[in-house]
Amino acid sequence: MLDKTIRTILVRLAAGPLLILLLATIGLSTQSYFLYGQHQHLLKEQADARIAADLKLSLENHSKKWGEYLIHYGSAEESERWVSFRGSEVETMKLANQLLVRSDSLSLTESVRHIIYALEVLRISYQEARNSLGQAADIRQALRDLQMINDVPMHLVAEVYHDIQQQAQAASAQFWNKSVGLTICLAVLLALCSVLYLRFSGVFTSRLLQREQAAKQKANWLLKHDYLTGLYNRQSLLKKITLLIDSETPFHLVKVSLLGIGAAGQAHGCSVQDGLITMAAKRLESESAPDDIIARSVGGDFLMIMPGRNDDSLKRGLGKLLDRLGQDFSFKGYRHQISAFAGCCSFPLQARDADRLFQYADIAATHAQLHRMDRAAIYDPKMSQAMENKAEQINQLRLALRRNQLHLHFQPQLNLQTGRVAGVEALARLKSDDPKLNIPTTFIALAEESGLIHLLGQKVAELAVSQISRWHKSGVDITVAINVSPRQLDDPNFVKFLNSLCRQYRVDPKYIDIEIIESDFVNSRHPLLEALSESGFGLSIDDFGTGFSNLGYLSHFQPRQLKIDKTFVDAIETDVRRRDLVRSIVDLAHSQGIQVVAEGIESEAQAELLAAMKADLGQGYWFSKPMPAEALDNIIPGLCGEAHSLSA
Ligand code: C2E
Ligand code: MG
Ligand code: MG
């Protein structure tokens, strides 16, 4: 098999001569066709000349006879004049008339009339013949007419003959001139084509070779590199790892994962996502050591080979790298926050083959991501066990959700001034076969990690809205708070789903508060928060005080409620500073028109202190533990005005 380029070049090289050959063939055919036509014309002219010659001969014979008439009947002078006659047609007519007038002989008169008639016919025919000279058919007709005439003056015939001869000679000369000219033109054209071909065929070929070479280089480059960042791709990295393993060179394999890239892409488009990945790659390059090898795996995942580092230098290097990646990215007018996590596995200490190295670095990175305290994790065999357990738990959770083993407990929120139930918080409960999984913080975290949170969230929302509807039907107009994780807000259909539930169960969204943990609330720049507000849902900032609050987002999103975290409530009895802080939070929230809910109230003293600070609502075991709706049904009427009687 010939190489494609060589084949293309050969085809192009052959195309030139073939083209010239084609041109030559076309030229020669055209020339031959043209010359053939010309030759036919020439032959016709020559044939005409021959006919004219024959005619001349026959007319000469007739003329002799005609001359004899004059010699016989005319005077000697007239006879002479006839013999030497070279005059014009008009003179001939005159002569004939003279003869007619003078003669009294009948036969002579007859003859002269004959002559006059003949001359008259000849005049017309001759004129026509002259006019249409050049058109063979007409000439022939003219000559034929002449032949019909018995007695024609010789000089007229000679003139016609002469013209026709001249025409034939001119046609012959024209034919040869044209044929020579055409041949010269054709030769010049072919020479020009050959010169052009020789001039440009080289250029075409070299350009083609250059392009082919560039395309090959690009293809080779793409085989080894990531098209977006220009870093190595996973395959190249694998080759390099194999070489290092073969040569028994110790190295660390690091997986760096960026979190938040996908959300940025969903919010601002793919170009922003690509831009962020490229910027992150540049940061990675700038923070890496000269002998580090960096590759992009998929999405916001990078892999690095770090050879020749001890544990300390590895940790320092990774720390620096993650700090750099954690700095805000400014791109296309937006500031993007991206969290970076790294997992590391060492050759030959922890794994001796490439597959295991990749797997362990991945496990370590996932571990780092789950335990956000430590952004870089070095692989530990315990992590593998934990991962396996987790995979099993995720399966259990999926099964439990599918089997509808999820239900809700409701914890009342009481007005701290009146003691009346103002609302309840819906809290998810699971009844799976694995008791460890049934702890809310465990299965919620697992659901978030595995993506099952969307399904879980939908089920919670449906259970809550249907319960509100039941309560409303029984005459209890109560507000229910639903906990929503930030990942649920990544789903653009989430608000639509909530609205459709409200329509289905005929519940006004104002009876639903969406609780979002403070830290997630601060970090989320979700347009969905605005959409929720616009649909009439209340926004509630959960665990307030644990995130990094600022006044800006409070005024921007106008939450309905702010829930002071249990850690503050716990401390208000003993810690004066904390108590002052809680008081300030209450004042601050009120100044913004936001209601304050104190979470985790466990004692009467806490309840009273919070009531004195003008906190609006209280929630905690002192009033009621979360309980199923049926249990709550029995005590809701009793709760009104009897808040503390329910203390645990
Ligand atoms: P949270 O939203 O802050 O809910 C309050 C948590 O504190 C509940 O824990 C509640 O049972 C507990 N609690 C209430 N009063 C007291 C008290 O006086 N003392 C003590 N020690 N604890 C009290 P739970 O039900 O275990 O829920 C834990 C967290 O799980 C919730 O914290 C919430 O963040 C999350 N969660 C619960 N249900 C859901 C849900 O449906 N969706 C989402 N995304 N998260 C949920
Ligand atoms: Mg909550
Ligand atoms: Mg809370």
Side-chain angles (χ1 to χ4, degrees):
M1 273 286 281
L2 273 175
D3 180 63
K4 196 185 157 213
T5 316
I6 296 178
R7 252 187 295 148
T8 316
I9 289 170
L10 284 178
V11 167
R12 288 209 178 178
L13 283 176
L18 280 175
L19 189 73
I20 292 173
L21 204 69
L22 187 73
L23 277 174
T25 314
I26 293 171
L28 281 171
S29 313
T30 316
Q31 191 195 22
S32 307
Y33 179 74
F34 183 76
L35 290 180
Y36 174 76
Q38 289 282 308
H39 190 244
Q40 289 300 312
H41 183 64
L42 180 68
L43 288 178
K44 237 183 282 164
E45 296 284 339
Q46 283 169 351
D48 290 347
R50 265 199 309 279
I51 293 167
D54 291 351
L55 185 74
K56 185 189 168 197
L57 209 68
S58 75
L59 286 179
E60 263 174 6
N61 293 335
H62 285 295
S63 303
K64 275 180 196 156
K65 213 164 66 181
W66 194 12
E68 276 167 18
Y69 273 124
L70 285 172
I71 292 161
H72 187 76
Y73 295 109
S75 65
E77 188 193 344
E78 280 161 357
S79 305
E80 257 173 53
R81 269 176 66 193
W82 172 252
V83 174
S84 60
F85 179 70
R86 292 287 183 274
S88 71
E89 178 185 342
V90 181
E91 280 174 284
T92 315
M93 293 278 282
K94 269 190 207 157
L95 175 68
N97 266 325
Q98 277 172 21
L99 287 170
L100 181 70
V101 171
R102 215 161 38 95
S103 171
D104 54 355
S105 157
L106 189 67
S107 61
L108 176 66
T109 309
E110 282 293 306
S111 299
V112 170
R113 276 208 185 107
H114 195 113
I115 291 166
I116 290 167
Y117 169 74
L119 285 173
E120 188 61 22
V121 172
L122 173 68
R123 192 178 63 79
I124 295 161
S125 301
Y126 174 70
Q127 206 53 46
E128 278 175 5
R130 269 181 179 270
N131 289 346
S132 54
L133 211 67
Q135 293 174 32
D138 288 344
I139 293 168
R140 285 212 184 96
Q141 187 55 47
L143 293 173
R144 243 179 260 123
D145 290 345
L146 282 172
Q147 269 177 316
M148 300 281 292
I149 302 163
N150 283 333
D151 302 309
V152 180
M154 273 307 300
H155 76 284
L156 294 179
V157 176
E159 266 179 44
V160 173
Y161 172 73
H162 179 71
D163 281 352
I164 291 173
Q165 279 285 20
Q166 290 255 308
Q167 193 70 30
Q169 273 167 16
S172 174
Q174 210 183 9
F175 169 76
W176 288 111
N177 287 347
K178 279 192 179 162
S179 66
V180 169
L182 260 177
T183 311
I184 290 170
C185 281
L186 191 66
V188 169
L189 183 74
L190 287 178
L192 200 71
C193 285
S194 306
V195 168
L196 286 176
Y197 168 71
L198 289 174
R199 167 73 184 84
F200 289 110
S201 63
V203 176
F204 288 148
T205 312
S206 68
R207 272 201 201 146
L208 192 76
L209 281 170
Q210 275 170 8
R211 254 192 304 179
E212 177 72 13
Q213 209 170 354
K216 263 188 192 159
Q217 276 172 359
K218 179 91 183 158
N220 277 339
W221 187 87
L222 276 174
L223 277 178
K224 292 180 190 161
H225 294 84
D226 167 46
Y227 71 97
L228 184 63
T229 57
L231 296 174
Y232 283 116
N233 60 22
R234 201 184 154 96
Q235 281 71 26
S236 301
L237 193 95
L238 181 64
K239 278 188 191 151
K240 298 204 182 289
I241 288 177
T242 314
L243 286 176
L244 290 171
I245 291 175
D246 289 349
S247 62
E248 290 285 333
T249 312
F251 66 94
H252 304 284
L253 178 68
V254 178
K255 179 180 174 183
V256 178
S257 293
L258 303 180
L259 221 77
I261 294 268
Q266 280 168 4
H268 306 295
C270 287
S271 62
V272 170
Q273 183 170 332
D274 288 351
L276 291 177
I277 291 173
T278 313
M279 287 169 88
K282 290 214 171 91
R283 288 189 186 181
L284 271 175
E285 277 183 308
S286 68
E287 290 303 326
S288 59
D291 52 352
D292 290 349
I293 299 165
I294 315 173
R296 183 164 84 108
S297 176
V298 284
D301 285 353
F302 296 87
L303 290 161
M304 295 175 78
I305 298 174
M306 294 185 163
R309 291 195 193 216
N310 60 30
D311 280 5
D312 276 352
S313 113
L314 175 73
K315 278 181 190 157
R316 244 182 293 119
L318 287 179
K320 256 177 68 185
L321 206 130
L322 294 178
D323 282 345
R324 182 83 183 94
L325 287 174
Q327 288 168 9
D328 278 7
F329 288 83
S330 293
F331 190 67
K332 286 203 174 172
Y334 296 100
R335 286 176 77 77
H336 304 270
Q337 263 185 349
I338 282 165
S339 325
F341 304 94
C344 177
C345 173
S346 308
F347 171 84
L349 228 64
Q350 291 162 320
R352 291 197 58 84
D353 66 273
D355 254 14
R356 290 251 177 280
L357 279 161
F358 280 127
Q359 186 190 355
Y360 292 169
D362 189 39
I363 289 175
T366 312
H367 182 88
Q369 189 178 329
L370 294 176
H371 304 84
R372 294 182 178 208
M373 311 292 287
D374 193 9
R375 291 171 306 150
I378 294 183
Y379 176 74
D380 185 314
K382 281 184 207 146
M383 290 177 186
S384 290
Q385 188 56 50
M387 290 300 263
E388 277 170 31
N389 293 345
K390 186 157 288 162
E392 177 51 31
Q393 280 190 323
I394 290 171
N395 267 343
Q396 289 289 333
L397 175 60
R398 186 174 287 113
L399 213 66
L401 290 176
R402 220 179 276 160
R403 288 177 182 163
N404 288 327
Q405 289 173 331
L406 184 89
H407 59 281
L408 294 182
H409 277 185
F410 298 89
Q411 187 174 33
Q413 296 171 337
L414 283 81
N415 184 316
L416 286 173
Q417 310 305 324
T418 65
R420 295 170 71 92
V421 175
V424 291
E425 177 176 3
L427 293 155
R429 296 291 180 260
L430 198 71
K431 258 193 219 154
S432 88
D433 300 338
D434 179 357
K436 273 189 255 161
L437 185 62
N438 293 341
I439 300 163
T441 42
T442 307
F443 73 78
I444 295 289
L446 208 63
E448 284 182 349
E449 201 184 317
S450 60
L452 284 170
I453 192 72
H454 296 288
L455 181 60
L456 187 145
Q458 285 180 358
K459 284 186 181 283
V460 166
E462 176 144 27
L463 288 169
V465 177
S466 61
Q467 185 56 50
I468 298 172
S469 161
R470 270 196 293 277
W471 275 325
H472 285 189
K473 278 179 192 155
S474 63
V476 181
D477 278 351
I478 202 161
T479 303
V480 175
I482 303 172
N483 292 283
V484 165
S485 94
R487 284 197 68 176
Q488 286 173 265
L489 296 178
D490 290 341
D491 177 5
N493 291 320
F494 179 65
V495 182
K496 265 192 223 158
F497 173 75
L498 284 184
N499 278 319
S500 72
L501 274 182
C502 288
R503 274 195 302 276
Q504 185 185 342
Y505 288 97
R506 295 172 192 279
V507 169
D508 190 325
K510 73 176 182 186
Y511 290 106
I512 299 168
D513 278 332
I514 303 294
E515 283 193 16
I516 297 160
I517 291 173
E518 186 190 20
S519 52
D520 296 329
F521 200 95
V522 177
N523 287 334
S524 64
R525 300 180 177 90
H526 290 286
L528 284 200
L529 289 182
E530 273 145 34
L532 280 168
S533 276
E534 279 161 17
S535 298
F537 296 98
L539 291 180
S540 193
I541 305 173
D542 207 353
D543 302 349
F544 189 84
T546 55
F548 302 96
S549 331
N550 74 55
L551 290 176
Y553 75 83
L554 282 186
S555 58
H556 179 71
F557 286 111
Q558 275 294 313
R560 189 190 288 173
Q561 279 183 347
L562 182 153
K563 297 181 80 173
I564 298 176
D565 190 62
K566 183 177 183 312
T567 48
F568 287 88
V569 173
D570 285 345
I572 54 170
E573 280 179 90
T574 50
D575 188 336
V576 182
R577 284 185 60 211
R578 287 267 176 139
R579 194 185 310 154
D580 289 345
L581 192 64
V582 171
R583 189 176 288 118
S584 308
I585 292 171
V586 174
D587 292 344
L588 167 79
H590 286 168
S591 74
Q592 299 288 317
I594 300 168
Q595 209 177 37
V596 174
V597 184
E599 280 192 292
I601 300 175
E602 289 184 345
S603 70
E604 189 173 14
Q606 286 171 349
E608 281 174 358
L609 270 172
L610 286 160
M613 286 177 201
K614 301 275 185 283
D616 302 281
L617 305 179
Q619 176 182 350
Y621 291 172
W622 172 250
F623 303 117
S624 169
K625 279 199 168 181
M627 60 180 82
E630 309 78 56
L632 203 61
D633 280 346
N634 298 329
I635 54 171
I636 280 180
L639 271 173
C640 305
E642 300 286 338
H644 56 280
S645 63
L646 282 166
S647 55

